[in-house]
Amino acid sequence: MLGISVKEALDLPQMEGAVLLGGDQGLNHIIHSVNIMEVPDIENYIKPAELLLTTTYPIKDDRNALENLIPQLYKHGLAALAIKPERYIREIPEIMITQANHYGLPLIKLPNTASFNEIINPILTEILNRQAAILSKNEQISKALTEIMLHGGGLAEISRTLAGLLGLPVSIHDPSFRKIASWLSPRDFGSDKNRALSEFVNDNKLLAETFNGNKDQMIFNHTHGFCAICRPVTVAGEIYAYLFIWDPESPFPERQLVGIEQAITAIALEISKSRAIFDVEARFKSSFIDYLMDGEITSREDAIVLAERFGWVIADGFTVILFECDDLKSLYNLDPVITRKKRINMVETINSTVTSLSPGSAVVERGSRLMVLHRSRQCKDIKESRHNSEMLAHYCCQELARRLETRVVAGISRFIPDPMEIVKGITQAQQALEIGRCAFEQGQVFHFDDLGVYRILFTSDTAEMRRFYDDVLGRLVVYDQENDAGLIVTLEALFTNEMNLQKTAKALFIHYNTIRYRVNRIQQITGLDLKSPDDCLNLQLALKILHMK
């Protein structure tokens, strides 16, 4: 319910001659109605946010009742007390003024000529007029937002409309406070402050820090003097977005909150619609890839035409890039809400990056991974195509790592000239991702051609490869684990340093004689000769298998 403040009531012509004796801290109290004190036990008949008018007649002879009046009224949430003295009490007691200041309850002395009816009517009329204006504005906002929803307007249109109706800057942010849409121009604050507001709205980290420090949903940027109200857009307990109304008066006038609830509903509906469309499109795109992989699309021409419906250009060939987030895979089996947020964030990040750097490339979800069919655009040769794909993968990984705050890795296939050979590209990218993650722990982007001998090992008979590993390296691994002897590390360092004992000792920061001792132990345990090229090759292959494990 809307009302007027005590200060606004004092400014009315009918309150001419009224004097505020105390409780000026409560001048912003809102008056919702007016009451007259006709009985001594008035506390049983008053409501919060009322302006109480009295001559004190019911308690004129009870000094104790006079002294307890303001504490009692304060407990019941009264907005203000206005007393017309002189007829029944000569002066308002000093203790009442002291109490008014203590409780922050405005105490007003009315002139002897004041008429209660002349005070009540304009205050109630003003309250009713404001409520009527609110109802009218409610209808206006509701109609405008309904029009937006019916005609397919998005979040940008909602923010523009709400900003225009409120006359205040508006911005909409995702759960991480990144800006989705905004309209900041309804009010001109001057070039410096306009620029500062724009920077603040686009700084999601500063917004998050400021908002999290103010649990009452009012945030302040003291540096630039900004004040804002922030409302979460929540559906079934999940925060879809945040709505910010910028630079309102402080405290935010109640009448300015009109339309915000309707806007929150409209935002929730729009985001829900976008998510539904996102899910449907994701399923169609994934199904297209599945059909292509399973051979249900038998014509190259059909594949090209169907891909074009999604805005993909695959006629000239492509490179397959697979992205995987370290914590997303585990989240799929734990928290569906958090998983969905990260999944949407991941897709949106890759989509925006790929669209800006390589339009026509495809972005498709593959389980907990994300796949890009990187379009080849007039590359001179395969090397240039590979370089472009690696650059795109690196940039996407950096953006994902920044937004998701976790490690993201990518596997890249060779160039695939024919879309009908997509299975080969996906297999290569998958091998590059899985082997690269195990064999090259410090890497981020792995190309299939860089796997070296791992490409052969990955396609070998698993059981036979395991037997080979056990025969060549098994005993050494077991001995190393049981004795913490550092022999595996030493063996790898030897191969890295071309079997040079001095260089290896220096690389491992150990004495030369220690290296000699370890070499002898390695040869004794494995039964192999480190001077034999064949034995060294077997050991190197076994080490590769160890990394694959």
Side-chain angles (χ1 to χ4, degrees):
M1 183 177 179
L2 294 177
I4 65 171
S5 68
V6 176
K7 184 178 184 302
E8 289 172 321
L10 284 170
D11 290 336
L12 292 173
Q14 291 78 6
M15 296 290 282
E16 184 178 357
V19 178
L20 181 69
L21 298 181
D24 58 344
Q25 312 98 298
L27 284 174
N28 287 323
H29 289 174
I30 300 299
I31 301 170
H32 288 165
S33 62
V34 184
N35 200 349
I36 297 176
M37 181 176 177
E38 297 178 332
V39 293
D41 56 339
I42 187 62
E43 64 271 9
N44 297 320
Y45 302 96
I46 58 174
K47 297 177 182 178
E50 282 187 338
L51 168 63
L52 183 63
L53 307 178
T54 183
T55 61
T56 70
Y57 173 75
I59 56 174
K60 62 182 175 51
D61 299 321
D62 188 344
R63 186 164 186 82
N64 186 54
L66 281 171
E67 293 178 358
N68 288 323
L69 181 62
I70 286 182
Q72 288 293 329
L73 297 178
Y74 172 77
K75 287 181 182 178
H76 288 79
L78 201 76
L81 172 64
I83 299 176
K84 180 180 173 182
E86 296 184 14
R87 184 165 184 180
Y88 298 109
I89 58 171
R90 295 186 61 81
E91 289 293 336
I92 296 175
E94 190 66 33
I95 190 172
M96 295 184 74
I97 298 173
T98 302
Q99 290 172 339
N101 287 322
H102 174 73
Y103 291 110
L105 179 68
L107 176 60
I108 302 165
K109 178 182 178 181
L110 297 175
N112 194 38
T113 57
S115 166
F116 285 178
N117 283 338
E118 290 178 358
I119 292 173
I120 293 171
N121 287 337
I123 291 178
L124 293 181
T125 298
E126 181 65 24
I127 292 172
L128 290 173
N129 286 340
R130 291 188 180 188
Q131 290 176 357
I134 290 309
L135 290 173
S136 175
K137 198 164 189 179
N138 257 325
E139 184 180 356
Q140 182 185 5
I141 292 175
S142 179
K143 185 177 179 180
L145 293 173
T146 301
E147 285 291 314
I148 292 172
M149 300 306 294
L150 289 176
H151 292 87
L155 296 177
E157 185 66 17
I158 291 173
S159 64
R160 185 190 69 79
T161 300
L162 186 61
L165 291 169
L166 295 179
L168 293 167
V170 169
S171 61
I172 303 170
H173 301 254
D174 69 12
S176 299
F177 293 92
R178 280 185 291 271
K179 188 187 76 175
I180 305 172
S182 66
W183 193 264
L184 305 180
S185 58
R187 184 179 294 181
D188 186 5
F189 304 110
S191 58
D192 290 342
K193 197 169 182 180
N194 287 342
R195 183 171 58 254
L197 175 60
S198 178
E199 291 173 356
F200 194 25
V201 167
N202 286 283
D203 191 336
N204 67 298
K205 290 186 177 179
L206 182 57
L207 269 179
E209 291 171 2
T210 310
F211 176 76
N212 290 332
N214 293 272
K215 299 304 181 183
D216 58 353
Q217 297 181 358
M218 292 293 294
I219 70 163
F220 302 90
N221 178 353
H222 296 291
T223 304
H224 301 295
F226 286 119
C227 174
I229 185 169
C230 174
R231 290 291 182 87
V233 180
T234 307
V235 177
E238 179 185 354
I239 294 178
Y240 276 21
Y242 289 100
L243 172 64
F244 282 82
I245 314 296
W246 289 97
D247 208 70
E249 299 173 29
S250 182
F252 199 74
E254 192 175 356
R255 61 180 176 275
Q256 292 285 26
L257 294 175
V258 176
I260 290 183
E261 294 305 321
Q262 293 100 315
I264 287 174
T265 301
I267 292 169
L269 288 171
E270 178 61 28
I271 294 177
S272 296
K273 182 182 74 174
S274 299
R275 288 189 173 191
I277 293 171
F278 171 87
D279 288 337
V280 171
E281 286 184 346
R283 285 196 295 271
F284 276 124
K285 290 175 180 178
S286 183
S287 295
F288 168 72
I289 297 298
D290 289 338
Y291 293 152
L292 195 57
M293 292 175 65
D294 295 341
E296 295 186 37
I297 299 175
T298 57
S299 164
R300 181 177 184 274
E301 289 69 25
D302 287 346
I304 293 170
V305 171
L306 289 170
E308 286 175 351
R309 294 181 182 178
F310 298 117
W312 303 343
V313 180
I314 61 175
D316 299 326
F318 51 81
T319 301
V320 179
I321 309 175
L322 281 176
F323 294 93
E324 187 170 70
C325 167
D326 264 3
D327 62 352
L328 194 60
K329 191 172 182 179
S330 60
L331 281 173
Y332 261 77
N333 299 319
L334 296 175
D335 192 325
V337 174
I338 296 176
T339 301
R340 181 183 177 84
K341 286 181 181 178
K342 289 211 170 191
R343 166 183 160 244
I344 291 174
N345 202 346
M346 189 173 182
V347 175
E348 287 177 347
T349 302
I350 295 292
N351 251 326
S352 60
T353 304
V354 170
T355 300
S356 62
L357 297 179
S358 182
S361 296
V363 179
V364 190
E365 288 185 271
R366 301 292 296 171
S368 62
R369 293 172 177 171
L370 203 62
M371 182 175 75
V372 173
L373 305 183
H374 182 215
R375 175 190 179 191
S376 175
R377 300 184 65 188
Q378 299 177 343
C379 294
K380 296 178 182 178
D381 51 34
I382 299 298
K383 286 184 178 180
E384 185 180 353
S385 174
R386 170 179 169 168
H387 173 75
N388 292 342
S389 295
E390 288 177 331
M391 292 295 292
L392 177 65
H394 275 292
Y395 192 80
C396 287
C397 283
Q398 290 169 5
E399 282 296 297
L400 285 170
R402 182 176 64 84
R403 290 201 178 190
L404 301 179
E405 297 181 347
T406 187
R407 182 180 181 229
V408 179
V409 293
I412 307 176
S413 74
R414 290 172 176 162
F415 177 71
I416 307 298
D418 186 351
M420 304 307 290
E421 297 179 345
I422 189 172
V423 174
K424 181 194 294 185
I426 293 175
T427 302
Q428 290 177 359
Q430 183 173 323
Q431 291 179 6
L433 180 63
E434 294 176 355
I435 298 173
R437 181 190 283 276
C438 297
F440 312 103
E441 293 181 0
Q442 301 304 316
Q444 187 177 44
V445 174
F446 311 106
H447 195 282
F448 181 73
D449 283 340
D450 291 337
L451 299 181
V453 71
Y454 286 112
R455 300 203 304 266
I456 300 173
L457 296 174
F458 197 86
T459 56
S460 300
D461 180 270
T462 305
E464 188 60 39
M465 188 166 60
R466 174 73 195 194
R467 283 192 292 270
F468 173 81
Y469 163 80
D470 287 339
D471 292 343
V472 176
L473 206 60
R475 292 185 300 276
L476 186 64
V477 170
V478 171
Y479 178 87
D480 216 26
Q481 290 173 344
E482 292 177 349
N483 298 278
D484 194 23
L487 299 183
I488 295 295
V489 173
T490 302
L491 184 59
E492 290 187 301
L494 281 167
F495 289 130
T496 300
N497 291 283
E498 302 170 340
M499 304 303 290
N500 187 305
L501 300 188
Q502 287 186 338
K503 287 173 65 176
T504 303
K506 187 175 180 181
L508 295 177
F509 302 102
I510 58 178
H511 195 273
Y512 177 78
N513 289 336
T514 304
I515 284 292
R516 292 183 59 188
Y517 168 77
R518 290 186 181 182
V519 167
N520 289 332
R521 290 298 294 144
I522 290 170
Q523 293 181 130
Q524 290 170 5
I525 294 169
T526 61
L528 300 175
D529 183 1
L530 291 183
K531 293 180 180 179
S532 165
D534 289 338
D535 286 353
C536 285
L537 176 60
N538 287 338
L539 283 167
Q540 286 179 304
L541 288 174
L543 285 171
K544 300 294 185 187
I545 297 171
L546 173 64
H547 287 302
M548 287 175 61
K549 290 175 61 182

